């Protein structure tokens, strides 16, 4: 089990026992949503289909009785009666064919439509889940849950309206009807059903925990493969191909080892069911012959019950297939519903507003936040940023800088304190409206496997080519567009067709194109060379005018001109002021500056020597 799995595994373990098969099946049907009325019509069609199918063995038996009666008495056939029976038989047969075709056709269409609708709903829901959820749940696992879960739903919907509903209606109606026709022969059919139910219940009890283990192994395989494919450069550069293949093969072998016992038990059930049904037909023939000899059953009734037995055997095999399929898919459906039931941590308040474009006055007031509820990531943060100001956040790795700004664009909500923009608590602003007003350049460069234009238009879907080129110019990324033959060039998965610095410049251009009143740069120039960074700093100075900018930086020389620098240490702001003020104080910032400027010229071969000299 990998480290990313525990959240889903814990939820599956908690819900597995309580969410029984019937309740699970009911929830699958509930997902029909707006097409429930069509589902009801298909269910009625199934009932009509079952009635037509019941009529056939009854009419067959009656025909046999007419023929046998005429033969026994040496009389002529009652042709009007026989013709009526045959005509009814043909009519019911044609009705069964037509109604069966219509039910199958509309069941197919219904299942496919709902599958795509639920898949889209799941995808939208997952995208809205908090970063804390995605931090502990592998994306490969979420994809596997989505695809296998919707496949299982499709199979159950299709099977329910094609045959499973008719199967259970048949079993419910057939047994009382057979008792009415001949209770002695009906007892044999009832005995067959009781034995079948007992075997199925025992098999479910025997293999339930085994199948849950199988599904966890499927998730492990999906996660392992996705992890290797997502880091293929690492795999190849460290010659890990054979090792990764061997590990995947090991996971597959563990999957097979868990799956084979389950398949073996269900194979045993299938053999026992077929053996039982064969014995039932044989016993019906023997008992029917005995009852006919004693005048307790007509020849037509014996034939009728043989047809009933054949029908019930077919229905029982369908029921076995349905229960087996539902059982096999139950862990996948539980995982699917567990994700679907995960409530987003961030929701709009009922009275949340959309204030339009904000000015950008930001206030933190006694803000505290902890990821685990025990160790605070930030504590008692209080500061202000006026519209148009540039505020820099510096400090050691893990000091709380990124967390503080993640709270600003509501990646999380603080456990204490309040954050305001233009005097409005950000929790009173609709989440979409808030994030439209904030542009973020993340420390980890995030690009879609799409064209340059599509990546730039993420923040402004209606941006023109001129606007995109201007944003790229400000971010020193215009050369990438010209070199890659225009905005239509693809950047590859996660931007792998570009270098780290090029990806970073495109992500900055994307944020500038959005033109937000508040801009967050989280180590936005860390992958740039010294020459490009110097050009970018000059360009970004213009772009930052009339917008509030927060800059997280480890290289202190890059925040030389910030209006205010906040020094973080263990989640607290320990100093604040301008660059020169903080140097003169000789505090924590001065210590960082002394260590950095002393080490960087040697470490970076003089790249920042001019800035270091200027700072000193």
């Amino acid at each position: 089990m990998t480290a990313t799995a525990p959240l889903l595994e814990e939820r599956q373990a908690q819900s597995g026992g309580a969410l029984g098969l019937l309740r699970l099946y009911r929830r699958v049907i509930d997902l029909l949503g707006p097409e429930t009325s069509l589902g009801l019509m298909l269910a009625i069609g199934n009932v009509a289909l079952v009635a037509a199918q019941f009529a056939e063995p009854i009419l067959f038996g009656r025909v046999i009785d007419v023929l046998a009666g005429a033969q026994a008495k040496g009389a002529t056939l009652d042709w009007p009666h026989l013709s009526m029976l045959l005509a009814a038989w043909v009519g019911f047969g044609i009705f069964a064919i037509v109604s069966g075709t219509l039910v199958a056709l509309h069941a197919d269409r219904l299942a496919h439509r709902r599958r795509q609708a639920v898949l889209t709903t799941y995808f939208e829901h997952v995208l809205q889940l908090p970063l804390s959820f995605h931090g502990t749940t592998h994306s490969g696992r979420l994809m596997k849950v989505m695809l296998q879960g919707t496949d299982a739903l499709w199979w159950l919907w299709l099977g329910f309206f094609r045959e499973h509903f008719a199967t259970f209606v048949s079993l419910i109606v057939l047994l009382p009807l057979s008792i009415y026709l001949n209770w002695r022969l009906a007892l044999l059919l009832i005995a067959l059903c009781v034995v079948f139910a007992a075997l199925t219940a025992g098999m479910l009890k025997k293999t339930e925990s085994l199948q849950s283990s199988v599904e966890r192994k499927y998730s492990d395989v999906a996660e392992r493969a996705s992890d290797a494919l997502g880091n293929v450069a690492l795999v190849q550069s460290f010659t890990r191909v054979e090792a990764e293949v061997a590990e995947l093969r090991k996971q597959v072998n563990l999957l097979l080892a868990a799956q084979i016992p389950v398949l073996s038990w269900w194979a045993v059930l299938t053999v026992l069911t077929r053996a039982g049904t064969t014995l039932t037909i044989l016993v019906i023939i023997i008992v029917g012959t005995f009852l006919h000899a004693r005048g307790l059953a007509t020849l037509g009734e014996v034939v009728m019950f043989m047809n009933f037995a054949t029908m019930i055997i077919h229905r029982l095999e369908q029921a076995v297939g349905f229960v087996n399929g539902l059982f096999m898919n139950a862990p996948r459906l539980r995982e699917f519903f567990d994700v679907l039931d995960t409530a987003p941590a961030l929701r709009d308040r009922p009275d949340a507003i959309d204030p339009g474009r904000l000015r950008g006055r930001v206030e933190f007031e006694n803000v505290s936040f902890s990821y685990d509820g025990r160790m605070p990531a930030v504590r008692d943060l209080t500061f202000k940023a006026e519209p148009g100001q540039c505020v820099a956040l510096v400090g050691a790795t893990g000091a709380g800088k990124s967390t503080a700004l993640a709270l600003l664009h509501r990646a999380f909500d603080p456990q204490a304190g309040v954050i305001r923009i233009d005097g409005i608590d950000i929790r009173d602003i609709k989440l979409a409206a808030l994030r439209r007003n904030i542009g973020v350049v993340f420390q980890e460069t995030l690009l879609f496997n799409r064209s340059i234009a599509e990546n730039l238009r993420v923040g402004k879907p209606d941006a023109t080519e001129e606007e995109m080129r201007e944003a790229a110019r400000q971010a020193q990324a215009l050369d990438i567009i010209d070199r890659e033959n225009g905005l239509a060039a693809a950047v590859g998965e996660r931007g792998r067709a570009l270098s780290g610095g090029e990806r970073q410049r495109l992500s900055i251009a994307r944020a500038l194109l959005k033109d937000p009143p508040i801009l967050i740069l989280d180590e936005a120039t860390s992958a740039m060379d010294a020459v490009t960074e110097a050009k970018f700093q000059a360009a970004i100075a213009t772009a930052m005018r009339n917008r509030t900018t927060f800059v997280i930086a480890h290289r202190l020389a890059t925040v030389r001109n910030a209006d205010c620098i906040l020094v973080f240490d263990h989640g607290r702001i320990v100093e604040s002021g301008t660059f020169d003020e903080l140097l003169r104080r000789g505090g924590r910032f001065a210590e960082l500056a002394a260590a950095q400027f002393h080490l960087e010229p040697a470490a970076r071969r003089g790249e920042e020597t001019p800035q270091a000299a200027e700072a000193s």
Side-chain angles (χ1 to χ4, degrees):
M1 191 67 59
T2 59
T4 58
L7 183 59
L8 282 182
E9 298 302 337
E10 180 182 354
R11 289 176 181 166
Q12 183 178 346
Q14 291 172 348
S15 63
L19 195 59
L21 290 182
L22 291 178
R23 180 182 167 195
L24 187 66
Y25 197 41
R26 170 61 186 275
R27 185 157 187 195
V28 169
I29 298 302
D30 287 343
L31 279 180
L32 289 174
E35 303 215 47
T36 302
S37 57
L38 176 57
L40 180 59
M41 293 176 61
L42 290 172
I44 294 172
N46 272 271
V47 173
L49 185 59
V50 168
Q53 292 171 342
F54 280 162
E56 294 187 32
I58 295 174
L59 291 169
F60 186 30
R62 294 291 182 259
V63 170
I64 295 295
D65 281 338
V66 170
L67 294 175
Q71 184 179 26
K73 296 176 182 178
T76 58
L77 284 173
D78 184 355
W79 284 106
H81 188 200
L82 182 60
S83 299
M84 185 175 62
L85 291 173
L86 291 175
W89 193 350
V90 171
F92 278 114
I94 294 174
F95 175 80
I97 293 171
V98 173
S99 62
T101 301
L102 291 175
V103 166
L105 176 64
H106 288 287
D108 279 355
R109 294 178 177 179
L110 171 64
H112 280 86
R113 284 197 303 266
R114 291 309 301 161
R115 176 191 185 187
Q116 304 309 325
V118 172
L119 184 147
T120 304
T121 299
Y122 173 96
F123 182 69
E124 180 182 12
H125 176 75
V126 168
L127 290 180
Q128 293 175 337
L129 291 177
L131 295 180
S132 57
F133 176 88
H134 290 281
T136 56
T137 308
H138 197 282
S139 59
R141 181 176 296 265
L142 290 174
M143 283 293 296
K144 172 258 180 189
V145 169
M146 179 177 72
L147 296 177
Q148 290 192 348
T150 51
D151 281 347
L153 289 168
W154 171 81
W155 179 83
L156 286 171
W157 284 324
L158 186 63
F160 181 83
F161 293 114
R162 264 192 168 185
E163 57 186 29
H164 297 149
F165 185 71
T167 293
F168 290 103
V169 170
S170 297
L171 294 175
I172 293 171
V173 175
L174 183 59
L175 295 179
L177 179 63
S178 64
I179 293 173
Y180 170 76
L181 294 171
N182 191 310
W183 65 269
R184 295 175 181 86
L185 291 174
L187 290 177
L188 298 175
L189 299 181
I190 293 173
L192 174 63
C193 290
V194 169
V195 171
F196 160 77
L199 288 174
T200 304
M203 201 60 61
L204 287 174
K205 185 176 181 181
K206 185 75 177 177
T207 56
E208 182 175 6
S209 60
L210 294 176
Q211 185 60 29
S212 295
S213 175
V214 168
E215 200 53 40
R216 288 194 292 272
K217 296 296 188 296
Y218 271 115
S219 294
D220 292 341
V221 169
E223 184 174 323
R224 187 81 193 189
S226 175
D227 206 30
L229 292 173
N231 294 281
V232 66
L234 176 65
V235 170
Q236 292 179 354
S237 63
F238 280 81
T239 61
R240 287 278 307 173
V241 174
E242 291 184 4
E244 291 298 323
V245 172
E247 183 60 31
L248 185 64
R249 188 177 291 113
K250 176 183 175 183
Q251 297 290 341
V252 170
N253 289 335
L254 290 173
L255 167 62
L256 289 174
Q259 181 75 80
I260 288 174
V262 178
L263 298 177
S264 299
W265 280 110
W266 281 97
V268 169
L269 175 61
T270 302
V271 171
L272 292 176
T273 301
R274 291 184 178 179
T277 53
T278 302
L279 289 174
T280 301
I281 292 178
L282 181 60
V283 172
I284 285 176
I285 295 173
I286 295 172
V287 174
T289 302
F290 174 76
L291 293 175
H292 178 65
R294 295 177 63 89
L296 298 175
T298 67
L299 184 60
E301 287 177 340
V302 175
V303 173
M304 184 193 309
F305 271 84
M306 289 181 63
N307 278 275
F308 277 166
T310 302
M311 180 182 291
I312 203 170
I313 288 167
H314 177 63
R315 294 301 187 183
L316 286 175
E317 287 179 345
Q318 286 182 336
V320 169
F322 163 72
V323 174
N324 186 15
L326 178 58
F327 172 74
M328 292 292 186
N329 284 302
R332 299 174 182 178
L333 291 170
R334 289 186 181 117
E335 269 194 319
F336 183 85
F337 286 128
D338 284 340
V339 175
L340 209 57
D341 291 340
T342 302
L346 302 174
R347 294 178 179 272
D348 285 336
R349 289 178 173 176
D351 56 349
I353 62 171
D354 182 349
R357 184 176 178 87
L358 298 167
R359 293 180 59 248
R361 185 174 190 270
V362 176
E363 300 173 78
F364 276 61
E365 184 179 327
N366 300 319
V367 172
S368 297
F369 174 77
S370 172
Y371 290 99
D372 57 12
R374 297 187 301 271
M375 181 72 68
V378 293
R379 293 180 290 178
D380 300 323
L381 299 184
T382 299
F383 64 89
K384 294 181 182 180
E386 297 296 335
Q389 281 191 333
C390 176
V391 177
L393 285 69
V394 303
T397 300
K401 306 180 297 296
S402 295
T403 299
L405 296 186
L407 293 171
L408 176 59
H409 62 89
R410 287 197 73 191
F412 316 97
D413 275 339
Q415 281 98 20
V418 62
I419 302 172
R420 298 185 183 90
I421 298 179
D422 293 354
I424 307 171
D425 187 334
I426 62 172
R427 289 168 293 192
D428 292 329
I429 301 174
K430 290 184 177 180
L431 191 59
L434 172 70
R435 290 176 177 172
R436 279 198 303 269
N437 280 278
I438 301 176
V440 184
V441 179
F442 296 97
Q443 187 173 7
E444 177 188 4
T445 305
L446 305 173
L447 294 175
F448 291 115
N449 184 20
R450 302 168 192 171
S451 67
I452 292 176
E454 287 177 286
N455 274 284
L456 292 179
R457 285 193 173 115
V458 166
K460 190 177 181 181
D462 58 348
T464 64
E465 181 175 347
E466 291 74 17
E467 289 173 328
M468 288 187 284
R469 292 184 66 87
E470 175 58 23
R473 186 192 65 76
Q474 292 184 22
Q476 299 296 310
L478 200 55
D479 61 314
I480 304 172
I481 296 173
D482 294 335
R483 187 196 70 212
E484 296 291 339
N485 299 319
L487 292 163
V491 302
E493 185 179 3
R494 299 183 183 179
R496 285 177 180 158
L498 307 174
S499 70
E502 289 170 339
R503 291 196 296 269
Q504 205 164 46
R505 281 181 277 162
L506 280 181
S507 66
I508 293 169
R510 178 175 58 197
L512 296 178
L513 181 64
K514 184 179 179 181
D515 190 29
I518 300 172
L519 181 64
I520 296 175
L521 304 175
D522 189 349
E523 279 293 298
T525 62
S526 60
M528 292 184 186
D529 60 81
V531 174
T532 302
E533 182 181 350
K535 293 179 180 178
F536 172 76
Q537 292 291 351
I540 202 69
T542 302
M544 288 191 299
R545 289 175 187 168
N546 302 318
R547 79 176 83 238
T548 308
T549 306
F550 294 90
V551 180
I552 296 177
H554 286 102
R555 293 192 303 220
L556 301 184
T558 63
V559 297
R560 178 70 178 81
N561 297 317
D563 295 299
C564 178
I565 298 174
L566 306 176
V567 183
F568 279 68
D569 188 29
H570 293 91
R572 293 181 179 274
I573 298 175
V574 295
E575 290 180 318
S576 65
T578 65
F579 192 96
D580 294 332
E581 289 172 350
L582 292 173
L583 280 181
R584 285 195 297 268
R585 289 179 192 170
R588 177 62 178 156
F589 181 83
E591 293 175 4
L592 292 172
Q596 189 171 120
F597 294 143
H598 177 263
L599 295 174
E600 281 190 352
R604 294 172 55 83
R605 300 182 180 180
E607 282 184 11
E608 292 186 357
T609 302
Q611 288 124 324
E614 179 187 356
S616 61

